Amino acid sequence: MRNAIYTVKYNLRFNKMKILPCVLLSLCIIISVSGYCRPVTDDSLEIKINALLKQYDSPTKPGLVVGIVDNGKFVFNKGYGSANLKKKIPNNQNIEYKVASVSKQFTAAAILKLIKERKISFADDIRKYIPAFPDYGTPITVYNLLYHTSGIRDYMALMWLTGISFENPFSNKDALQIIFRQKELNFKPSTRCVYSNSNYILLAEIIEAVTSTSLSEYTQKNLFESIGMTQTGFGYPKGAKTELALSYSSTKNGYLAYKNANVCVGDGGVYTTLNDLLKWDAQFYDSLSLNNSLLILGKLDNGNSLSYGMGIMTGRYRNEPIQMHPGAFLGYRAEVLRFPKKGISIICLGNFDEINPETITRQIADIYLFQDESSNNEQPKYSKYNLKSIEMLKGKYEVAPNVWIDIKFENAVLTGQLTGQPKQILYEDNGDTYMIGRTNDKVLFNRDSKGEINQLTVSQKQGNTIANKLELVSNELTDYIGQYFNLEQNATYFFYIKENVLWFSVGTNQEEKAQILKKYDRIYFGYKNLEQATIDFIRSDSGKITGFTLSSGRISGLKFIKQK
């Protein structure tokens, strides 16, 4: 999926996050810390970044390339790991990477150029250019698409929720078929901001309708060539001199390259290099450049301003204003983090799905911009966990309604994850107390009089937070067995029992254990820590299950009817 939607605003140290007025994609860590240091310029910079990224520094692993731009020039750029494991090609500044949702700013720039030329207008109803788009009874404008205020459901979230593999051949035409068959919007246009890849697919169609050329052709001639971005474009690179990194996942049998047959453009689809992004970054410091208009923040009908520009988000990190946009699709990861007042940008392009570019760019900023040694500290070594105790710890602990800490034990590592935030490794400290990542924060698992664990306490400098363990449905699992169908999406969910455990599956998605929270009659499940969804079961007055409602951050209220 291009990116994830997070709505959490609880400030626990399973990474601190600030909610934006627009519900946006981000694993971004926003921390309020005063003070600014002069950038590191000595020979220790490479040593520090090498230590930070040493887990990727192997020719037998996929990895990333990072660059630090200071006043228009690289002061550091280096690749770690391999761009192509089979060919043994290392990651470096000349390798091309897919940048997923970082692509949106290029689509927005093309739209702005057409607006400047008065070929289209912000206020235009999109049905003027796309007559086949459904009439929802209220106009959806070009402005709504640019700022994610349209209410249009995200086609990629729909693909995931209905079991269509992202590795299958898939084009803009296929995306439009999904978008056009939706009977409802998530909300009335201009009343909310919820990130949706569908918006930028539609912008690509508008560009083609107005210019009679594809987005790829238009941007090549009118955007990339004009600033010398010779290794950048929508689609796939052509020519013997180019090398596109493969993207990988980690399996029990080693690293597996994704089958990337998706050719959608507009919401994603750009390939580029670290060197070319240096040229793009420079445009934001040119007062005459169209790029500065991308930073104009959107507004809702009620006058509230958004934190989202056009394909670019704004915010603050350690009291410094920032501009950024991450990207994630299959194993590709990307982030451009800009500190405009300092003239410093940090770029990360990766080809491994376990990389978190937002964390990495901020850790590098800590080292280079803020001279914060904490980003370079060694992590504690993994504990030898007491497996009997670990089984008692696992589960979901509720902080507040719909916000919980998920404790898991996977690949011999204990982790905790607050809803909508990255996982943190838990290191055994003493008995039932564990350290949270590389912090001084701790989590204590509380035992009752019977020695059972039904509660935890997160201990932080600012105080303690208590979370109660949610009970799972263990009896009457047969009530949930059956097929659940949604006509609009033409999708069927199957619930079945295997080895006394309830499972569910849909389409090509991997089967999932159905852990039903008894308090809510609800299942939470996710996609690679990028997107979360809920299944809320519907019961008749007699208590019989008749169906469920499926929702995620980008999709609301899909009704599935139980058929068998």
Side-chain angles (χ1 to χ4, degrees), residues 191-251:
T191 61
R192 293 177 58 195
C193 174
V194 174
Y195 190 92
S196 172
N197 286 292
S198 299
N199 293 318
Y200 277 71
I201 286 286
L202 293 167
L203 288 172
E205 292 303 302
I206 291 173
I207 291 169
E208 184 167 344
V210 172
T211 66
S212 299
T213 60
S214 68
L215 175 64
S216 176
E217 292 170 325
Y218 181 79
T219 51
Q220 206 65 49
K221 294 176 182 177
N222 295 278
L223 198 62
F224 302 131
E225 289 180 2
S226 63
I227 56 176
M229 295 177 69
T230 58
Q231 288 184 273
T232 301
F234 278 96
Y236 285 88
K238 300 174 182 177
K241 294 183 179 180
T242 63
E243 187 67 48
L244 177 67
L246 298 181
S247 68
Y248 295 87
S249 64
S250 179
T251 72

Side-chain angles (χ1 to χ4, degrees), residues 86-158:
K86 187 176 181 180
K87 294 182 180 179
K88 299 181 179 178
I89 297 172
N91 283 313
N92 63 68
Q93 67 195 72
N94 296 307
I95 295 291
E96 291 159 340
Y97 301 84
K98 288 284 193 173
V99 294
S101 284
V102 176
S103 308
K104 287 182 173 67
Q105 59 197 275
F106 300 109
T107 303
I111 287 286
L112 283 179
K113 182 172 174 56
L114 293 173
I115 290 174
K116 185 178 180 181
E117 294 169 353
R118 298 190 176 183
K119 294 180 179 178
I120 60 176
S121 166
F122 281 120
D124 284 343
D125 186 332
I126 65 173
R127 298 183 76 243
K128 175 180 177 180
Y129 308 105
I130 313 173
F133 185 80
D135 183 356
Y136 291 108
T138 183
I140 293 173
T141 65
V142 172
Y143 187 93
N144 292 142
L145 299 184
L146 285 165
Y147 287 108
H148 297 292
T149 59
S150 68
I152 299 170
R153 291 170 174 170
D154 190 318
Y155 81 94
M156 295 197 76
L158 287 165

Side-chain angles (χ1 to χ4, degrees), residues 32-131:
S32 296
V33 179
S34 61
Y36 164 75
C37 298
R38 296 177 64 85
V40 175
T41 56
D42 56 37
D43 294 337
S44 68
L45 178 60
E46 183 171 1
I47 295 172
K48 292 176 180 178
I49 295 178
N50 285 349
L52 177 68
L53 302 176
K54 65 181 180 180
Q55 61 180 307
Y56 308 112
D57 195 11
S58 168
T60 62
K61 296 179 178 180
L64 68 163
V65 61
V66 296
I68 303 174
V69 182
D70 195 335
N71 291 310
K73 296 181 180 179
F74 280 124
V75 294
F76 179 86
N77 68 79
K78 186 175 180 180
Y80 299 84
S82 289
N84 188 310
L85 292 172
K86 187 176 181 180
K87 294 182 180 179
K88 299 181 179 178
I89 297 172
N91 283 313
N92 63 68
Q93 67 195 72
N94 296 307
I95 295 291
E96 291 159 340
Y97 301 84
K98 288 284 193 173
V99 294
S101 284
V102 176
S103 308
K104 287 182 173 67
Q105 59 197 275
F106 300 109
T107 303
I111 287 286
L112 283 179
K113 182 172 174 56
L114 293 173
I115 290 174
K116 185 178 180 181
E117 294 169 353
R118 298 190 176 183
K119 294 180 179 178
I120 60 176
S121 166
F122 281 120
D124 284 343
D125 186 332
I126 65 173
R127 298 183 76 243
K128 175 180 177 180
Y129 308 105
I130 313 173

Side-chain angles (χ1 to χ4, degrees), residues 379-511:
Q379 285 195 3
K381 295 187 181 298
Y382 290 167
S383 308
K384 291 184 178 179
Y385 299 107
N386 182 322
L387 296 183
K388 185 177 179 181
S389 295
I390 291 297
E391 284 303 312
M392 298 179 68
L393 306 183
K394 289 161 54 178
K396 287 181 170 61
Y397 295 76
E398 188 175 46
V399 178
N402 298 319
V403 180
W404 70 92
I405 298 170
D406 199 3
I407 304 296
K408 292 183 178 180
F409 187 68
E410 300 172 321
N411 301 318
V413 177
L414 185 67
T415 61
Q417 183 175 24
L418 182 67
T419 305
Q421 297 189 11
K423 289 181 181 179
Q424 292 285 339
I425 296 174
L426 302 183
Y427 300 96
E428 190 170 352
D429 181 44
N430 182 24
D432 292 328
T433 302
Y434 293 77
M435 303 296 297
I436 302 175
R438 289 184 301 182
T439 73
N440 293 320
D441 301 336
K442 297 182 180 182
V443 56
L444 169 64
F445 292 92
N446 307 316
R447 294 180 181 269
D448 60 20
S449 59
K450 298 180 180 179
E452 297 179 351
I453 294 175
N454 293 303
Q455 188 185 78
L456 63 76
T457 302
V458 178
S459 177
Q460 301 172 279
K461 185 177 180 179
Q462 63 266 37
N464 294 341
T465 301
I466 295 174
N468 295 309
K469 195 172 188 178
L470 290 169
E471 183 182 355
L472 299 178
V473 173
S474 56
N475 299 321
E476 302 175 344
L477 292 178
T478 55
D479 291 352
Y480 298 89
I481 295 174
Q483 298 178 19
Y484 299 75
F485 180 69
N486 178 280
L487 179 62
E488 182 183 15
Q489 311 305 329
N490 191 29
T492 301
Y493 273 68
F494 298 88
F495 280 76
Y496 49 92
I497 290 178
K498 185 171 64 174
E499 297 178 353
N500 297 319
V501 175
L502 185 66
W503 296 77
F504 70 93
S505 65
V506 58
T508 62
N509 291 359
Q510 285 189 334
E511 63 179 358

Side-chain angles (χ1 to χ4, degrees), residues 291-355:
N291 285 25
N292 290 292
S293 297
L294 296 173
L295 303 172
I296 298 172
L297 301 182
K299 287 188 176 183
L300 299 177
D301 272 352
N302 62 9
N304 288 348
S305 293
L306 307 175
S307 311
Y308 198 82
M310 288 171 265
I312 294 182
M313 292 183 286
T314 63
R316 301 187 73 84
Y317 181 69
R318 298 184 69 155
N319 284 341
E320 282 293 328
I322 57 173
Q323 302 158 4
M324 72 285 191
H325 205 298
F329 183 65
L330 297 179
Y332 292 110
R333 298 290 186 267
E335 163 89 324
V336 179
L337 172 66
R338 186 177 302 108
F339 293 85
K341 285 190 175 181
K342 305 302 177 184
I344 292 172
S345 298
I346 299 165
I347 305 169
C348 174
L349 303 175
N351 65 326
F352 183 33
D353 65 5
E354 294 183 16
I355 286 172

